[in-house]
Amino acid sequence: MEGRTYVMQNRDEAQAFAGQLTPEAYKAAGLADSSTAIVLDMGSSMVRAGYSSESAPRLIFPPVVTRGRERRKRNGVWDEVDVSKKNFVGYEAFGAFARSGARSLFEGNLMLNNYLIERLFDEVLVKLGLAEESEIMHPFVVTETVCQPNKIRASVVEILFEAYNAIGVVLGIDALFSYLYNSHKDASGSKEGPIGFRRECALIVDSSHTATHVLPIVNRKLAGSSCKRILVGGQQQTNTLQKRLQMNFPHHAAALTAARAEMVKENVCETIPTPFYADFLQKLRADQDAFERLKVTLKVPDALLPGSAGTASPVEVSPEEIERKKQLRAEAGRRLFEMMQAKRRANQAAAGGNGADGDKTGDSTGRWKRGKLRAIFTRQEADLMFEPLEDLFELESVLSLLEIVVQRQSERDVLADYESLGANGSSAAALPSGPGAAGANANPTGASSTTALGVTGSTLPATADGASDPAAKLDAANERLIFQAEDAFYRAVVKRKCRSVDQLKHDIIRAVEAVERAKKLVNNGDKVNAILEAFRNKKADDALLATADNKLTVEQIKEKRRLRVTRAANAVRDKAREQREAEKQRLADEMARRLQFKEEDPEAYLKELRAERDELLNRIKRREAARLSGSDRRSLASRNRMRLLAQQADGGAGGPKGGSDTFGMNDSDWDVYRDMQGDNSEEEDEEATRLEKIDEEILSMVPHDEIYKKPRGFDGLFYVPDSLDEIPLVFDRFRTMETVWQPSIIGVDQVGLAEAMTLSINSLPESLRPVIVQEVFLTGGVCNSPGFQDRVYNELRMAMPSGWGDKIQTWTAADPSLDAWRGAALFAQKGEGAFRDALISRQDYEEMGAEYLKEHLCSNQYVPSPPEAKDPDNYTRRKDSKKRRKDRELAARVGLPSSS
C-alpha cells in the first residue's frame, strides 16, 4: 500500500489583509459604536485583529515590522516607491517597497521590541478603517502570554492610552480566551447562556508557536504557581524539519524555505498516539507495509527544481529586440574603449612631461610601468618577443666577453713590454696613461660593453685600484681578470656550442631576424616599444640583483630589496598559475578518461557515478550534522573546540608558556582554527557543484524513473528518492512533532509535555488532582496535529493512578489557531458586567500606572512590581579596588593603620 503525495506550496499571503476596511466601508458597516471593541490577538506567530461584533478577525499577518524605502532618482528616473506609507507590517514587510531586515515584535514568546509596537498598531488601525478618525472610540481587548512581565504590559497599555487616547483596555491570556469560547458552545455549535468556563477545575494545554504551557484552572481562576512552560513550540518544530530536509536533500535547500517547511509540518506531520516512540521506530523497521503506508512523498514543483528559471514564465523576445540590445552593447563597448584611449593619451602626455626616469614596476601579467606611462600588452605577446630577445642578449653577452678577453690580453702584452723596457733601462713613460689605452675596445671599468639592445651584458669585477705603482696595479689584478674573462667566455661558448667567430656572427644575425619576425607578429609599434622597454628593465634589474651590496649605493640597495620582494611575489603568482593550469590539464585528462570509460562500459561508469554521488551525499550530511552539533555547548564538537582553545591558552602548540610565543611561525599552527571551525565553505561549494554535475550526467544516461533503486523497508536513516523532484518523508513526519514530548531531541534541556502535565497536577492539593484531569483542554496551533489529543490521553493514563483511567477526559478546541481571538471577542461582546469590571479606564491608568491589571476570568494574576530601593542617606560606596585591598592587607601585616 503506497502512501500519499503532497505538493509543496506557499502560504496564501493575499488573505492576510483581505478583510481590511476603508474609512467609508468602516462607516457603512455600522462599526462606529463604542460598545464594539477592537480585539488584538498578539500571537508570536500571527497577529489577528478585528471587531468584537464580527465572527472572524479581519487581519491575520505575522508580527513583523519594517520601514518603507525612501524615494530615489536613479538614471534620471524616480523609483516606484509608495511614499504614502512609512511602515510595512506582516507580509508587506518582505515586499519590494519595504526596506530589508524586517524585525519581529517578539523575542521568544515575549514582546520585547517595544519600539515596533506603535508602528504595528498604526497599520492595524489604518487597515481597520480608522485612518480618518480623530480619536479611537472603541475599547481594546489585547491578549498576552502567561505570567506576562509588568514592564512589557506597561508598554502596550501606555501606547494605547497615550498614542490613541483609548477609552479602556482589557488584557487576558489567549489560551483562557480559547477555553472560554469553546466552553460557551454546545454540541450543535450554537452559542447560548451566560459566558463562563465549562468546569470549575480544568487543565489547559496551550502548545503555540514559541512555547508550550500547562495552565491549571482552580475555582475558575488561574493557579499561577502551578503553571509550567516548555520552550518548544511550532517555531522550533519548523526549524528542525527545515534543517533536516535541507541536510538530507541538499539539492532542494533553496526550495525548502521556512514558510514551506511550516506548510509541510501543518499538512504532513503527525503525533504518535503511543508514548513509546522508540518502539514505534522499531515497528517501522520490521514492517514494510507500515513503512510504505506511512510514507508521504513531497512533490517539488518544477519551478522550484534546481536549474529552473523560477516561477515566472519566460518572456518572448523578438529578433528585432535581440538585435537592438546587441547594438546597444556594442555602442557601450565602443564608448568605453574611446574613454580608455583618451585616458591613456592623457597619462602618456603627463609622463612625457615628467621624463622617463621615474620608478619602474613590472609583474608577471605583462603590465609594465615607467613613470606614469603604462603600456599594456598580453602575456602571449611578451612571450613571443622575449624568447628571441633572450637569445640575442645571450649572443651579445658572448661577444662582450670576447671583447673583454681581447682587452685583458692587450693589457697583459703592454705590461710585458713595460717590463722588458724597464730591464733595458728605458723610461717608464712608455706605459699607457690610462687603463683603457691598450685598445680601442677597452672598457675602463672592466665591465661588459653595452650591446645593441642597450643592456650591459657581463658584470665582471673592475680592475683593482689603490696601488701607487702602475706596474704593481696591473700585475696584481690582470692575471685574475684575464682568467675570469676567459673562463666566462669559454663557458658561454660551450653552452652555445659555438665553434668559431663566424658561427657566432651568423647566430647573431639569425637572432636579429627572429626579433624582427616577432615584431611583425605583434604588429603594433607601441606594444613593441613597450616590450623592448620591459626587456631592458628586466635585464637591468637582473644586473642589479647580481651585484654585491658593497658595490651599490644606498638608493640602489633599497631598489634591490624592492626588486627581490617583487620577484618573489611574481614567482608565487606564476607558481599558482602553473598549478591552476596543471589542475585544469589534469581535469581535462580525467574528463577524457571518463568519456572513454563511458563509451567502453556504460553500466560500470553509471555504477561509479552513483557510488561517487553517495559518497558526496554522506560527506555533506556528516558535515551538516557536525555543524548542528556545534551549536550545542554540551556536544562533543563544542567540547573539542573548547579543549583546543584551552590548549592554546595553556601553552600548547606554540603557546606562550614554557618559552617564547612562536605560534604562527609554522604553517601547521594555523590548522587549529580549521579544527575548531569544522567546515570549509570552498570545499562545500566544490562538492555541491560536483554533485549537481553528477546528477545531470545520471539523468542523461538513464530514464527519469529508473535513476535510483528504492530500498525495501527501512534501510538506514537516509535514503534516496525515486526521482529528483520528490522528497520522501517517513520518520521526520513523527520526529518533528515528538520534540514537544522529548525536547532533548533538539538539544533543549527541559522536561517534555507529559512530565510538565504531571508536575503541574502534582503541585495541586491531592483532593483536586482526580477532578482536574476530568477536563483537559487542548489549544494552540500545534494541537492541530493528528494524534495529539490521543497522545495527551495516553500519557496521562500512564502517569496517573490506574483507577483514574475512566475519569480522564481530553478535548481539543474547534479551531486552535483562531479560537483565542473569538473568545476575546465573545468576552467583549457578551461579557457585560464581567467585561466592564475587567476594563482598565483612563482614570485607572492615570491613578494606578501602566503596569496595573484588573483581574478577571481570563487574566493573569496581578503582582505589583516592588518599589525601587532607595538609600535615604544618599551614600555612594567607593569601589574597593585591587590596589586598595593589597594596601590594607599589607598594613594589617606590619601593624600600621589602613589608609582606607
Side-chain angles (χ1 to χ4, degrees):
M1 180 179 179
E2 295 292 335
R4 60 189 178 96
T5 301
Y6 172 78
V7 180
M8 283 202 310
Q9 56 186 343
N10 294 322
R11 193 179 298 276
D12 188 6
E13 299 177 358
Q15 299 298 321
F17 304 119
Q20 61 181 344
L21 295 171
T22 61
E24 295 77 11
Y26 163 75
K27 296 175 182 178
L31 298 173
D33 185 3
S34 60
S35 62
T36 301
I38 298 176
V39 181
L40 300 175
D41 181 13
M42 303 298 294
S44 57
S45 173
M46 292 288 176
V47 173
R48 302 168 181 88
Y51 294 99
S52 62
S53 59
E54 298 178 334
S55 60
R58 286 187 170 272
L59 310 176
I60 303 176
F61 59 91
V64 292
V65 183
T66 188
R67 289 282 193 179
R69 290 196 297 115
E70 298 178 357
R71 195 180 186 191
R72 296 181 180 179
K73 194 173 184 179
R74 304 174 188 270
N75 300 325
V77 180
W78 287 99
D79 290 344
E80 294 183 3
V81 177
D82 189 358
V83 295
S84 63
K85 295 188 63 174
K86 295 184 178 180
N87 297 316
F88 291 87
V89 299
Y91 298 113
E92 291 179 348
F94 306 106
F97 294 155
R99 292 181 182 176
S100 60
R103 290 291 304 275
S104 173
L105 273 67
F106 289 84
E107 297 289 342
N109 65 327
L110 297 178
M111 202 159 34
L112 297 180
N113 297 326
N114 299 331
Y115 67 98
L116 299 176
I117 298 177
E118 186 174 354
R119 300 182 192 175
L120 184 138
F121 283 174
D122 285 343
E123 290 300 314
V124 167
L125 296 178
V126 168
K127 294 180 184 300
L128 289 178
L130 300 172
E132 298 179 356
E133 300 297 320
S134 58
E135 56 180 349
I136 309 300
M137 300 303 298
H138 298 276
F140 287 87
V141 181
V142 184
T143 64
E144 60 182 13
T145 188
V146 183
C147 301
Q148 178 87 300
N150 289 341
K151 185 176 181 180
I152 299 176
R153 180 185 299 123
S155 301
V156 176
V157 173
E158 183 178 357
I159 290 173
L160 292 176
F161 279 112
E162 299 296 340
Y164 306 110
N165 196 21
I167 63 176
V169 178
V170 174
L171 301 170
I173 301 174
D174 50 1
L176 299 186
F177 278 134
S178 178
Y179 182 52
L180 176 68
Y181 175 76
N182 286 271
S183 297
H184 190 65
K185 295 175 60 178
D186 59 8
S188 61
S190 63
K191 300 177 182 178
E192 55 185 24
I195 65 171
F197 293 155
R198 194 167 74 166
R199 292 178 180 268
E200 292 188 356
C201 297
L203 185 70
I204 299 177
V205 177
D206 176 24
S207 188
S208 57
H209 185 61
T210 54
T212 299
H213 295 91
V214 179
L215 313 176
I217 303 296
V218 178
N219 296 327
R220 302 186 187 276
K221 289 289 185 179
L222 177 68
S225 60
S226 299
C227 295
K228 303 299 176 184
R229 174 184 294 159
I230 306 171
L231 297 179
V232 177
Q235 183 182 36
Q236 290 76 17
Q237 293 174 343
T238 300
N239 293 340
T240 301
L241 179 62
Q242 180 192 13
K243 291 178 181 178
R244 283 185 58 82
L245 291 180
Q246 287 179 342
M247 180 179 66
N248 295 342
F249 307 97
H251 288 85
H252 302 301
L256 292 166
T257 61
R260 297 192 183 105
E262 187 172 8
M263 293 293 291
V264 171
K265 182 197 70 175
E266 295 175 359
N267 294 275
V268 173
C269 295
E270 298 181 9
T271 302
I272 301 173
T274 174
F276 306 104
Y277 177 64
D279 295 341
F280 178 79
L281 296 183
Q282 291 294 335
K283 180 181 178 181
L284 288 184
R285 292 174 184 266
D287 192 348
Q288 179 189 354
D289 294 336
F291 182 90
E292 297 294 339
R293 184 175 62 256
L294 295 175
K295 185 182 73 172
V296 174
T297 302
L298 301 183
K299 191 74 173 178
V300 182
D302 295 339
L304 302 179
L305 289 175
S308 63
T311 56
S313 58
V315 180
E316 295 291 339
V317 182
S318 61
E320 294 79 7
E321 182 68 16
I322 296 176
E323 183 64 25
R324 187 183 68 84
K325 291 183 178 181
K326 184 177 180 181
Q327 292 177 0
L328 289 176
R329 288 194 298 268
E331 181 66 19
R334 185 187 62 79
R335 289 197 300 268
L336 180 61
F337 179 75
E338 292 177 355
M339 291 171 58
M340 292 178 61
Q341 291 291 337
K343 185 176 180 181
R344 184 177 301 171
R345 286 193 295 269
N347 292 338
Q348 289 177 355
N354 295 335
D357 296 331
D359 295 336
K360 58 181 180 300
T361 59
D363 59 22
S364 61
T365 61
R367 291 187 174 95
W368 297 84
K369 181 172 66 176
R370 179 176 285 274
K372 291 188 178 181
L373 178 61
R374 187 180 179 90
I376 300 177
F377 46 87
T378 63
R379 182 181 298 277
Q380 291 76 11
E381 293 170 342
D383 293 342
L384 187 64
M385 288 193 62
F386 269 36
E387 185 176 354
L389 287 174
E390 286 283 357
D391 190 28
L392 181 59
F393 176 79
E394 186 177 349
L395 290 170
E396 291 186 348
S397 299
V398 174
L399 186 61
S400 300
L401 291 173
L402 179 60
E403 293 175 356
I404 293 174
V405 170
V406 173
Q407 174 191 346
R408 299 308 182 195
Q409 289 178 351
S410 300
E411 291 176 355
R412 185 174 57 182
D413 295 340
V414 171
L415 180 61
D417 294 340
Y418 172 76
E419 292 177 349
S420 62
L421 288 174
N424 296 330
S426 300
S427 175
L431 187 69
S433 60
N441 295 330
N443 192 326
T445 61
S448 64
S449 62
T450 303
T451 65
L453 292 173
V455 182
T456 56
S458 177
T459 56
L460 292 178
T463 305
D465 294 329
S468 58
D469 187 4
K473 178 174 65 176
L474 290 176
D475 189 25
N478 208 44
E479 290 297 331
R480 177 172 55 84
L481 294 176
I482 291 175
F483 174 77
Q484 291 181 354
E486 291 178 350
D487 182 67
F489 172 71
Y490 288 125
R491 281 191 282 106
V493 168
V494 172
K495 181 180 179 181
R496 293 288 310 179
K497 297 181 180 180
C498 185
R499 299 181 180 275
S500 64
V501 177
D502 294 335
Q503 183 179 354
L504 179 63
K505 294 178 179 180
H506 177 72
D507 291 343
I508 292 176
I509 295 173
R510 189 174 56 187
V512 171
E513 292 176 351
V515 171
E516 294 299 327
R517 286 195 299 270
K519 291 180 180 180
K520 292 180 180 179
L521 291 176
V522 174
N523 196 20
N524 188 307
D526 293 338
K527 290 185 177 181
V528 169
N529 294 333
I531 294 174
L532 289 175
E533 181 67 17
F535 184 78
R536 296 189 187 100
N537 294 340
K538 182 176 181 297
K539 291 304 176 182
D541 294 342
D542 292 341
L544 181 61
L545 291 173
T547 306
D549 290 347
N550 57 2
K551 296 182 180 181
L552 298 175
T553 63
V554 176
E555 295 298 329
Q556 288 176 334
I557 292 175
K558 291 182 180 179
E559 180 68 12
K560 180 179 178 181
R561 293 175 180 174
R562 187 191 64 78
L563 286 175
R564 190 173 295 163
V565 173
T566 304
R567 290 287 179 89
N570 293 341
V572 172
R573 285 196 293 268
D574 291 341
K575 184 177 180 180
R577 188 184 74 255
E578 292 175 358
Q579 291 177 351
R580 289 194 300 270
E581 292 176 354
E583 180 66 16
K584 188 183 298 182
Q585 183 63 33
R586 187 191 67 79
L587 293 176
D589 297 341
E590 178 67 18
M591 182 61 66
R593 185 195 67 81
R594 295 176 71 92
L595 290 177
Q596 182 179 2
F597 182 34
K598 180 179 179 181
E599 294 176 357
E600 294 176 353
D601 194 348
E603 294 183 359
Y605 179 73
L606 183 60
K607 184 177 180 181
E608 180 180 338
L609 281 180
R610 285 174 172 167
E612 184 178 358
R613 183 185 186 278
D614 293 340
E615 182 181 355
L616 286 174
L617 281 175
N618 291 331
R619 196 179 305 161
I620 293 173
K621 293 168 186 175
R622 287 195 297 268
R623 185 185 297 111
E624 185 65 24
R627 184 183 292 112
L628 292 176
S629 65
S631 60
D632 183 9
R633 61 185 179 87
R634 292 177 298 275
S635 64
L636 180 61
S638 296
R639 292 198 298 269
N640 186 37
R641 184 163 55 249
M642 295 304 298
R643 178 183 59 80
L644 292 172
L645 289 173
Q647 286 180 356
Q648 295 302 316
D650 196 32
K657 292 186 179 181
S660 60
D661 186 3
T662 61
F663 180 83
M665 298 183 64
N666 298 325
D667 293 340
S668 60
D669 294 344
W670 303 98
D671 293 341
V672 64
Y673 293 107
R674 188 179 299 110
D675 296 337
M676 287 188 289
Q677 187 66 20
D679 59 351
N680 192 331
S681 58
E682 183 177 355
E683 183 180 356
E684 291 179 7
D685 295 339
E686 293 178 357
E687 290 180 354
T689 304
R690 178 57 185 160
L691 192 61
E692 185 176 354
K693 291 182 179 180
I694 290 176
D695 288 333
E696 292 176 356
E697 195 166 1
I698 292 177
L699 285 173
S700 65
M701 293 183 64
V702 296
H704 188 69
D705 57 347
E706 297 180 2
I707 298 178
Y708 303 110
K709 183 179 179 182
K710 183 169 59 178
R712 179 177 178 83
F714 180 84
D715 190 17
L717 183 59
F718 307 114
Y719 58 94
V720 290
D722 292 338
S723 60
L724 290 179
D725 62 342
E726 294 181 355
I727 299 177
L729 281 185
V730 181
F731 300 98
D732 285 323
R733 288 185 60 202
F734 307 100
R735 184 184 187 276
T736 301
M737 309 308 297
E738 189 67 19
T739 54
V740 174
W741 307 95
Q742 300 185 48
S744 59
I745 293 178
I746 56 175
V748 177
D749 190 14
Q750 289 184 331
V751 299
L753 180 55
E755 292 84 353
M757 291 188 296
T758 304
L759 291 173
S760 179
I761 294 172
N762 292 337
S763 64
L764 299 173
E766 190 172 355
S767 59
L768 294 177
R769 297 174 191 174
V771 179
I772 200 170
V773 297
Q774 297 179 17
E775 181 74 357
V776 181
F777 176 72
L778 312 178
T779 186
V782 179
C783 297
N784 282 318
S785 170
F788 191 87
Q789 180 177 341
D790 296 337
R791 179 66 175 270
V792 172
Y793 176 78
N794 292 329
E795 292 284 0
L796 287 176
R797 286 203 62 173
M798 288 187 59
M800 297 297 108
S802 59
W804 294 9
D806 297 335
K807 297 180 181 180
I808 298 175
Q809 299 292 331
T810 59
W811 61 299
T812 307
D815 191 342
S817 299
L818 295 180
D819 283 355
W821 183 92
R822 292 192 177 105
L826 176 67
F827 184 70
Q829 198 68 17
K830 294 189 176 183
E832 298 178 352
F835 179 74
R836 288 192 297 269
D837 295 339
L839 193 68
I840 303 174
S841 64
R842 186 171 187 86
Q843 181 180 358
D844 297 330
Y845 163 72
E846 293 175 350
E847 180 180 353
M848 306 298 294
E851 296 182 356
Y852 178 63
L853 172 67
K854 284 188 175 181
E855 296 185 7
H856 56 88
L857 193 66
C858 302
S859 71
N860 277 298
Q861 294 178 351
Y862 176 55
V863 180
S865 299
E868 296 183 1
K870 297 181 180 180
D871 194 343
D873 299 333
N874 195 19
Y875 172 75
T876 303
R877 178 176 297 179
R878 291 186 303 172
K879 293 184 178 179
D880 193 8
S881 65
K882 184 176 181 180
K883 183 177 183 302
R884 189 177 293 112
R885 289 197 304 270
K886 288 185 177 180
D887 294 342
R888 191 163 53 247
E889 294 172 359
L890 180 62
R893 285 198 299 269
V894 299
L896 296 177
S898 175
S899 60
S900 58

